[in-house]
Structure formats: C-alpha cells, structure tokens
C-alpha cells in the first residue's frame, strides 16, 4: 500500500452565487484551482436567512454533473424536465446536466441554519451531450460505515472497505467512478481510508480540524486538501474531532473550456451552448 499525502491546500474564499447566496468556494475559485475531474466545491453555511433566502433561481447547465449534499435546511429543486424534489438534511441530489438542463434551487425555509455542499464533476467529451438525468437520494438510502479507527462515514458514492466489510453508496456506474464520503471523526480518531489508485482525491474539512498523511500535515477548517497519488490516506482528527468530505474520481485529461454554468472542451462548444440557451433548445430532448 502507498499512502497519500497532502500536496496542496486550497483555502476557501467568500463567494456569492445564484441570486446572492453567500458561500465558501475552495475548488474552482479560479480556473487553475480544479482537480480533474472535479471542477468546483462550494460550501454554503449560514444561520442568517439574508445569506441564503434569495436561492438559485432558474439557470442552465451543460457539460457536467452537479451534486448537492445537505447537512441542515431544505431546498426545493425544479427543472425543465418536470422533476420536482425536496432535499433535506442528509439528502443528496445528483444531477447530470450533460447536454442541458434548466433548474432552480430555492430554500424552503425563512429562518434557521442552511448548510450543505455543491460539487461539480466534469464529464468526458463523449458524455457531455448525452441526455440529462436527475436523481434524488434521501438520507435513508445512504449507508453509514463504521471506521476501524473511530467514527463513521456516510457513503454517498463508491465502495468503502474497512476490515473485511465493504459498504457501497447508492451512486454507481459513472465514468468518474466517484468516491464521495462524509467522514465524522471523534477527537483523536485515526483512520485509514482506501482510495482507488487511479483517482485524484481531495479532502474538505467542514468541522474541526484534521491532520493528513504519515507526515502529519494539518488541513485547516474550510480548506480543500489535494492528495498525492496512492491507494490509501491516513487522517487523524484534532482535539475537537473533525467532519470532512473525501472526494475521489478518475481524471479525464481533456481540455476544459468554462463559461459560468457551461463546461465544455472548446470555446466553439461554449458559443454553441450560449446560442442553444438563447434559442431555447439547450434543454430540449
Ligand atoms: Mn445549478
């Protein structure tokens, strides 16, 4: 086994998206801060309705997947294919925009805490123009795996092995072969998480603090830690414990052209996406 280490830390920066939702953006805060196949990771976290109440009114996507994972609060999704859904604490919405979808994501609350994540996963060129798809995963469909070193993991995608026990998340069959784990570690817990050797893997600490790798580098709160290659990673929680996401996926290795919510391979394909949206055919068929 070869152990992964931290190779770079991307601190999150304050950003605003949708109609003015305040969030923290780590991956994707600049074009150079991507980690193939991952384009962006946003954390939205506020007790102040002014930070989230405006939501994300109707907007398009083409060329990739968006994954929303809620910790607190509720959002309502509606899209151009007639999907309507509510996502609440512990729930996931996995939307494959592919050739095009127009959707809105609006808060279903006017007070209290709203907290969650949105991850963008790129699609390879051969899949960018396939039909859009949408899946809602309620919390009861997300298995929880006990970790040998303490704590547990919600397995949203991928298969997590601890000892001789495999726990598989509900999302499977995607070309990125993603691992998406939410790790909850009590103070001082030391865990080893297997990772596919072909994957790019990063961590994002949303609570407490964690030390990563056998060289014990600290990964600060609200930062993404990109890992070196390897087939496992060792994580030790700080004195207050840690909550962190582990995200892994097969790199695509293609050119990326991005204009806001459109992510293609070339500027010409971006121009086509803009034209299709303006002509009302982005999300057709
Ligand atoms: Mn969206």
């Amino acid at each position: 086994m070869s152990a992964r280490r931290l190779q770079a830390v991307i601190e999150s920066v304050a950003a605003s998206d949708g109609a003015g939702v305040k969030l923290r953006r780590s991956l994707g805060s600049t074009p150079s801060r991507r980690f193939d196949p991952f384009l962006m990771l946003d954390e939205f976290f506020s007790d102040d309705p002014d930070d989230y109440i405006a939501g994300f009114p109707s907007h398009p996507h083409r060329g990739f997947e968006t994954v929303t994972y809620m910790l607190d609060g509720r959002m309502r999704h509606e899209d151009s294919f007639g999907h309507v859904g509510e996502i609440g604490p512990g729930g996931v919405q996995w939307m494959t925009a592919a050739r095009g979808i127009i959707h809105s994501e609006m808060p279903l609350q006017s007070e209290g805490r709203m907290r969650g994540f949105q991850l963008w996963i790129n699609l390879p060129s051969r899949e960018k123009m396939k039909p859009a798809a949408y899946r809602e995963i309620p919390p009861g469909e997300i298995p929880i795996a006990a970790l040998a070193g303490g704590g547990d993991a919600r397995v949203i995608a991928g298969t997590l092995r601890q000892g001789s026990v495999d726990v598989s998340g509900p999302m499977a069959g995607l070309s990125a072969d993603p691992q998406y784990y939410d790790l909850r570690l009590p103070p001082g817990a030391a865990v080893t998480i297997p990772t596919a050797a072909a994957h790019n893997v990063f961590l994002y600490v949303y609570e407490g603090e964690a030390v990563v790798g056998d060289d014990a580098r600290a990964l600060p709160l609200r930062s993404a830690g990109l890992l070196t290659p390897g087939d496992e990673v060792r994580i030790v929680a700080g004195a207050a414990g840690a909550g962190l996401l582990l995200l892994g996926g097969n790199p695509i290795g293609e050119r990326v052209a991005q204009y806001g919510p459109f992510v293609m391979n070339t500027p010409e394909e971006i121009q086509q996406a803009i034209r299709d949206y303006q002509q009302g055919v982005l999300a057709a068929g």
Side-chain angles (χ1 to χ4, degrees):
M1 301 289 271
S2 70
R4 295 179 187 257
R5 296 178 168 195
L6 272 183
Q7 63 165 322
V9 172
I10 299 175
E11 288 178 28
S12 63
V13 297
S16 171
D17 212 333
V21 177
K22 289 190 182 143
L23 45 82
R24 304 288 307 187
R25 182 163 294 164
S26 48
L27 250 69
S29 55
T30 68
S32 64
R33 292 189 174 131
R34 299 183 183 122
F35 199 39
D36 189 11
F38 301 106
L39 299 164
M40 193 187 83
L41 179 67
D42 284 345
E43 178 186 6
F44 42 94
F45 173 28
S46 182
D47 298 316
D48 179 356
D50 287 347
D51 289 345
Y52 59 73
I53 201 74
F56 303 88
S58 185
H59 61 278
H61 293 285
R62 172 177 280 180
F64 60 103
E65 308 192 79
T66 71
V67 184
T68 305
Y69 174 40
M70 296 295 288
L71 296 181
D72 297 290
R74 304 190 74 81
M75 301 264 269
R76 176 185 169 90
H77 163 100
E78 283 188 60
D79 69 41
S80 47
F81 295 98
H83 304 121
V84 178
E86 288 183 14
I87 174 175
V92 169
Q93 177 204 90
W94 199 293
M95 192 179 81
T96 304
R99 83 173 303 279
I101 196 164
I102 297 167
H103 76 149
S104 63
E105 299 147 296
M106 300 300 288
L108 278 171
Q109 65 197 52
S110 53
E111 56 183 17
R113 176 168 292 185
M114 176 72 77
R115 184 177 203 187
F117 307 94
Q118 188 167 92
L119 175 72
W120 288 12
I121 308 176
N122 204 3
L123 287 169
S125 57
R126 65 179 182 280
E127 295 186 38
K128 283 185 179 295
M129 295 299 279
K130 72 181 182 181
Y134 170 80
R135 180 169 171 190
E136 249 176 59
I137 308 166
E141 289 180 23
I142 297 170
I144 299 177
L147 300 175
D152 55 37
R154 283 151 181 79
V155 181
I156 295 165
T159 297
L160 173 57
R161 167 161 286 204
Q162 290 287 283
S164 58
V165 179
D166 283 340
V167 175
S168 292
M171 289 306 297
L174 304 170
S175 61
D177 183 32
Q179 290 173 291
Y180 192 149
Y181 308 152
D182 174 6
L183 308 172
R184 314 272 178 97
L185 307 181
V191 300
T192 300
I193 309 294
T195 59
H199 280 181
N200 278 337
V201 180
F202 75 99
L203 306 172
Y204 181 84
V205 179
Y206 64 85
E207 220 166 81
E209 54 185 18
V211 159
V212 179
D214 47 18
D215 55 346
R217 281 188 59 191
L219 180 55
L221 183 63
R222 304 227 148 78
S223 294
L226 313 189
L227 304 184
T228 59
D231 49 21
E232 63 180 29
V233 58
R234 182 175 162 83
I235 303 166
V236 180
L244 66 164
L245 306 181
L246 182 150
L247 296 154
N250 290 323
I252 296 168
E254 295 176 356
R255 187 175 161 194
V256 175
Q258 177 170 5
Y259 177 74
F262 306 133
V263 182
M264 303 300 288
N265 296 107
T266 67
E268 294 71 27
E269 290 167 341
I270 292 292
Q271 291 305 318
Q272 185 67 50
I274 294 168
R275 273 197 306 276
D276 287 352
Y277 180 51
Q278 288 168 344
Q279 292 169 7
V281 297
L282 178 99

